[in-house]
Amino acid sequence: MILVGQYDSPVTRRIAIALHHYGIPFTRDTRSIFSDAAALSKISPLTRIPALVLDDGEVLIDSAAILDHLDEQADHALLIPASGPARRFVLQMTALAQGTLEKVAAVVYERHFHLPEHRSIDWLNRCLGQARAGLDELTHRLVTPYACGSTLTHADVMITTLIWYMQDRMDEVLSPTAHASLITLAEHCETLPAFRAAALSDFEKMPRS
Ligand SMILES: N[C@@H](CCC(=O)N[C@@H](CS)C(=O)NCC(=O)O)C(=O)O
């Protein structure tokens, strides 16, 4: 299978980490969703990443839907419990982290694509407030040593790729004190083999404005 997307996309990197964690072999299409948009739109109908091209040519989009497929394929160390409250908890923590990412990305895109005089301050402040609230809530709900207790889950992967993105792109609502537990968790996860195997190469960065 082929993973389409560069790893500066936290939702693309979370797929790569899950693939490595599960030991599922894959190759990569590292063309840029911005500078190679026309070519990638032929693979990914919304011109978004990640996309996963399966061995029979079927294309899966959206990280949650892709992970649903990978979880079905995996035969060990599942990143999500099969059912019940524990599964809901992982899904809710993952949704909080992914929702936070969406608000952070909205700020990054607003600043990247709009000149300062064309930016909506109201929109930026709303997104920043939502991102801060997401980080606060994640911190509040965290059940250590991992995000949801004793084992690594999709929530840890999403939190870790979110923290990387914020530290690289937009860290103004990420507090080293209030969100220290999230930062410590991400630092630990980055040392794990699956995360190291999905490290960014230098070329995989959205151009700076
Ligand atoms: N809900 C989607 C979000 C995908 C997404 O927003 N991808 C970004 C990169 S992180 C993208 O493709 N941005 C380019 C665009 O939306 O035009 C998922 O989880 O896969």
Side-chain angles (χ1 to χ4, degrees):
M1 54 183 76
I2 306 167
L3 176 59
V4 181
Q6 298 185 350
Y7 288 171
D8 69 340
S9 155
V11 282
T12 301
R13 189 165 175 242
R14 76 186 286 221
I15 302 299
I17 291 166
L19 285 163
H20 284 297
H21 176 84
Y22 287 146
I24 299 173
F26 68 104
T27 57
R28 297 188 56 201
D29 182 338
T30 59
R31 286 175 292 180
S32 163
I33 198 61
F34 289 102
S35 52
D36 299 307
L40 291 189
S41 71
K42 296 188 172 73
I43 302 171
S44 180
L46 298 176
T47 320
R48 296 174 94 187
I49 52 172
L52 189 69
V53 185
L54 302 185
D55 291 342
D56 64 2
E58 183 184 358
V59 177
L60 305 183
I61 62 162
D62 195 276
S63 59
I66 294 170
L67 289 173
D68 184 72
H69 172 70
L70 298 182
D71 291 339
E72 274 187 354
Q73 306 303 306
D75 55 10
H76 70 287
L78 274 175
L79 290 165
I80 187 160
S83 63
R87 182 180 176 87
R88 286 205 302 281
F89 184 44
V90 170
L91 287 173
Q92 285 300 300
M93 289 292 276
T94 307
L96 262 174
Q98 185 162 2
T100 301
L101 169 68
E102 286 166 11
K103 304 317 297 187
V104 171
V107 171
V108 171
Y109 284 19
E110 177 80 4
R111 290 175 176 165
H112 182 79
F113 286 107
H114 292 148
L115 294 170
E117 60 271 28
H118 294 148
R119 291 174 193 156
S120 166
I121 301 303
D122 287 346
W123 173 243
L124 284 171
N125 286 339
R126 180 183 169 90
C127 292
L128 287 167
Q130 289 166 305
R132 186 183 297 107
L135 294 170
D136 290 347
E137 190 63 22
L138 280 166
T139 303
H140 177 66
R141 294 192 197 181
L142 209 66
V143 179
T144 56
Y146 287 101
C148 301
S150 59
T151 54
L152 186 80
T153 68
H154 288 309
D156 299 290
V157 180
M158 191 66 251
I159 289 169
T160 300
T161 62
L162 163 70
I163 296 292
W164 175 83
Y165 187 73
M166 294 193 76
Q167 288 174 331
D168 187 65
R169 279 277 153 186
M170 201 291 285
D171 67 353
E172 61 212 61
V173 294
L174 179 65
S175 161
T177 49
H179 307 128
S181 53
L182 297 178
I183 295 168
T184 301
L185 172 67
E187 282 171 355
H188 169 67
C189 287
E190 292 286 11
T191 68
L192 301 175
F195 291 73
R196 292 163 66 99
L200 265 84
S201 303
D202 285 342
F203 70 89
E204 299 185 80
K205 290 215 169 175
M206 179 180 167
R208 291 203 174 268
S209 20

